[in-house]
Amino acid sequence: MSIDSNYFSLLSKLPPYVFSVVNELKYTARRNGNDVIDFGMGNPDQPTPKHIVEKLMESSVLSKNHRYSVSAGLPKLRLAISDWYKSNYDVSIDPETETIVTIGSKEGLSHLMLATLSPGEVVLVPDPCYPIHSFSVLIARGDVRSYDSFTEEKMIDSIIKGLNVDPKPKALILSFPSNPTTQTVDLDFFNKVVDIAKKYRIIVIHDFAYADICFDGFKAPSFLQAKDAKDVGVESFSMSKSYNMAGWRVGFMSGNKEIISALRRVKSYLDYGIFQPIQISAITALNQTKDCVHQISDTYKIRRNRLIDSFSNSGWIIEKPKATMFVWAEIPDKFKNLGSLEFSKMLIKECNVAVSPGIGFGKNGDNHVRFALIENEQRILQASRSIKKLFL
Ligand SMILES: Cc1ncc(COP(=O)(O)O)c(C=O)c1O
């Protein structure tokens, strides 16, 4: 018997990330001594706030915290999540039945798909999307049906169209503010989605990773604020972005108790909960003032302004996002025929600037590239000077 990758049928559905092509070029450029300014991955560059790190240090020396924890998350953390929903969104969440702690959003979303889908069941997924939204479905042996996620109107039409095709979808994935498109929606949109979900009897999964990274007075609504949202769906939140805790791997999912219970059951077989000191630090993060969250969001806002302004001076006019740690930039007309992958390669080779090609998020992303705002203002200016030569 010979074992190669064809032996594992799932692997053919999981091609190497498009992003790895750009990453390879980036590493090569760096090995050749070039200073690549890296806007590629949405990996926060700033430290976790001090009081959260201090709580981790304090709690990690206690041996009682070294044992297996609770798969669904510490009761006190679930209580803090419930309080967080009440104080931020005026939404009531029962800490016992309506929320579960996850090992980051990615883990929660992926296991939710395993818990709720049968092989061949269809899920409506935005195109473009954050890759795990589609790959979690494929990993669970489900089928992805894409909907157009550019404008609100198109989205509703495209979702309804997708719902009227056989086999009928079981679930709908949403994520606003959106990575990669930075698109935001208002509560009215979520109310419409709940009505649609009730009518077509589908479940809704909302990824709310950028809940707090909003600018210019905009506050992103929670899906759970929509009327009867808990009848049809759940919402996932990540501590990675709001608290710069990406490496800690902690998030939570809340909402419909049947869906939460399904995830809880699967996770009770798979894990023993996150290292307890991390959960204790997450309680500190959620219970304390939101000053640190505002500071983190302000840093992205300053970088966003710097990027939009300096790039526009260099000749690349880009729309200003209202939220997220990204800028979703339409490829300038004179380079559009290249497509996003070739354009991204060109940015590295000619300008030493690394971005994510839009095609990596879905075929509808191919006219764009995504900048993650993880370089400081000075480096952003350096990048804008470097791209100027493309427009001369
Ligand atoms: C939309 C979205 N969801 C989830 C995640 C991952 O979150 P976590 O670190 O909690 O797994 C990201 C990270 O970039 C994201 O952009």
Side-chain angles (χ1 to χ4, degrees):
M1 181 180 88
S2 80
I3 299 179
D4 59 18
S5 59
N6 294 330
Y7 196 61
F8 307 112
S9 63
L10 177 62
L11 298 194
S12 64
K13 294 185 177 172
L14 303 177
Y17 262 16
V18 172
F19 307 121
S20 58
V21 178
V22 179
N23 278 337
E24 258 324 298
L25 281 179
K26 182 174 76 191
Y27 297 136
T28 309
R30 282 196 172 141
R31 269 197 303 273
N32 292 337
N34 296 327
D35 174 20
V36 178
I37 304 166
D38 189 359
F39 298 104
M41 189 182 172
N43 191 0
D45 60 310
Q46 299 291 300
T48 305
K50 199 161 160 253
H51 64 287
I52 304 173
V53 176
E54 279 170 358
K55 194 64 180 178
L56 177 75
M57 295 199 306
E58 178 194 312
S59 50
S60 60
V61 293
L62 302 177
S63 61
K64 68 174 182 191
N65 288 331
H66 296 170
R67 310 187 67 199
Y68 290 131
S69 188
V70 187
S71 160
L74 292 175
K76 277 195 182 149
L77 177 50
R78 283 186 271 120
L79 194 60
I81 294 165
S82 168
D83 291 345
W84 181 89
Y85 261 112
K86 193 73 201 163
S87 63
N88 286 302
Y89 302 104
D90 198 22
V91 167
S92 300
I93 292 293
D94 177 356
E96 279 307 308
T97 58
E98 292 180 334
T99 192
I100 181 169
V101 177
T102 59
I103 310 171
S105 297
K106 258 181 137 178
E107 181 273 334
L109 292 166
S110 309
H111 284 144
L112 181 69
M113 291 304 162
L114 273 179
T116 55
L117 290 185
S118 302
E121 283 187 323
V122 174
V123 179
L124 286 176
V125 179
D127 179 353
C129 70
Y130 177 60
I132 202 64
H133 295 163
S134 51
F135 289 116
S136 60
V137 175
L138 299 176
I139 290 168
R141 279 17 187 213
D143 285 335
V144 169
R145 189 174 297 157
S146 299
Y147 64 88
D148 193 328
S149 64
F150 274 117
T151 63
E152 204 177 303
E153 243 171 60
K154 262 195 181 171
M155 218 169 0
I156 294 279
D157 286 351
S158 186
I159 288 170
I160 292 181
K161 218 164 136 201
L163 286 167
N164 282 305
V165 174
D166 280 335
K168 192 175 88 66
K170 175 133 185 197
L172 165 68
I173 296 184
L174 303 170
S175 182
F176 297 104
S178 160
N179 171 16
T181 68
T182 75
Q183 198 189 339
T184 59
V185 293
D186 56 20
L187 188 53
D188 195 42
F189 173 82
F190 286 144
N191 281 319
K192 282 184 201 148
V193 168
V194 172
D195 289 344
I196 293 170
K198 281 179 165 174
K199 180 169 171 199
Y200 288 88
R201 299 179 59 77
I202 49 162
I203 63 175
V204 179
I205 299 145
H206 181 236
D207 179 348
F208 202 24
Y210 299 95
D212 293 310
I213 316 295
C214 298
F215 318 122
D216 312 327
F218 172 71
K219 180 170 164 42
S222 156
F223 171 70
L224 298 179
Q225 287 175 293
K227 188 169 175 291
D228 300 335
K230 279 200 289 184
D231 290 347
V232 297
V234 289
E235 178 165 84
S236 158
F237 177 77
S238 167
M239 306 287 290
S240 299
K241 310 297 160 101
S242 300
Y243 297 91
N244 280 341
M245 291 173 75
W248 299 51
R249 311 312 300 131
V250 55
F252 46 87
M253 192 176 287
S254 315
N256 181 278
K257 58 174 181 264
E258 304 306 332
I259 304 176
I260 296 297
S261 153
L263 179 58
R264 209 173 163 139
R265 176 88 65 88
V266 166
K267 276 173 67 62
S268 73
Y269 284 86
L270 292 173
D271 71 71
Y272 287 116
I274 303 166
F275 184 44
Q276 209 145 277
I278 291 181
Q279 296 192 57
I280 292 168
S281 310
I283 298 172
T284 298
L286 293 176
N287 282 346
Q288 300 240 336
T289 72
K290 291 193 89 177
D291 290 356
C292 63
V293 178
H294 297 314
Q295 267 171 23
I296 289 166
S297 178
D298 277 351
T299 300
Y300 290 126
K301 183 174 106 179
I302 290 166
R303 290 175 179 181
R304 171 203 68 168
N305 291 345
R306 183 61 82 205
L307 192 144
I308 302 285
D309 293 346
S310 63
F311 276 48
S312 128
N313 288 337
S314 293
W316 191 351
I317 313 292
I318 303 171
E319 209 178 308
K320 211 177 220 182
K322 271 202 289 190
T324 78
M325 58 184 290
F326 304 107
V327 167
W328 181 240
E330 188 164 355
I331 300 174
D333 283 343
K334 68 192 252 203
F335 301 112
K336 238 182 212 146
N337 61 330
L338 290 179
S340 61
L341 184 57
E342 289 307 314
F343 180 65
S344 302
K345 286 182 183 172
M346 187 182 82
L347 283 181
I348 294 196
K349 286 185 191 149
E350 310 269 324
C351 312
N352 281 321
V353 168
V355 297
S356 294
I359 188 80
F361 304 97
K363 67 174 181 4
N364 287 345
D366 206 22
N367 278 339
H368 290 75
V369 292
R370 191 197 71 178
F371 289 81
L373 296 168
I374 50 161
E375 292 274 18
N376 65 32
E377 286 182 86
Q378 198 212 329
R379 305 267 294 162
I380 292 172
L381 283 178
Q382 197 181 323
S384 75
R385 281 194 294 269
S386 181
I387 61 137
K388 199 168 185 167
K389 60 172 167 274
L390 297 180
F391 295 92
L392 293 176

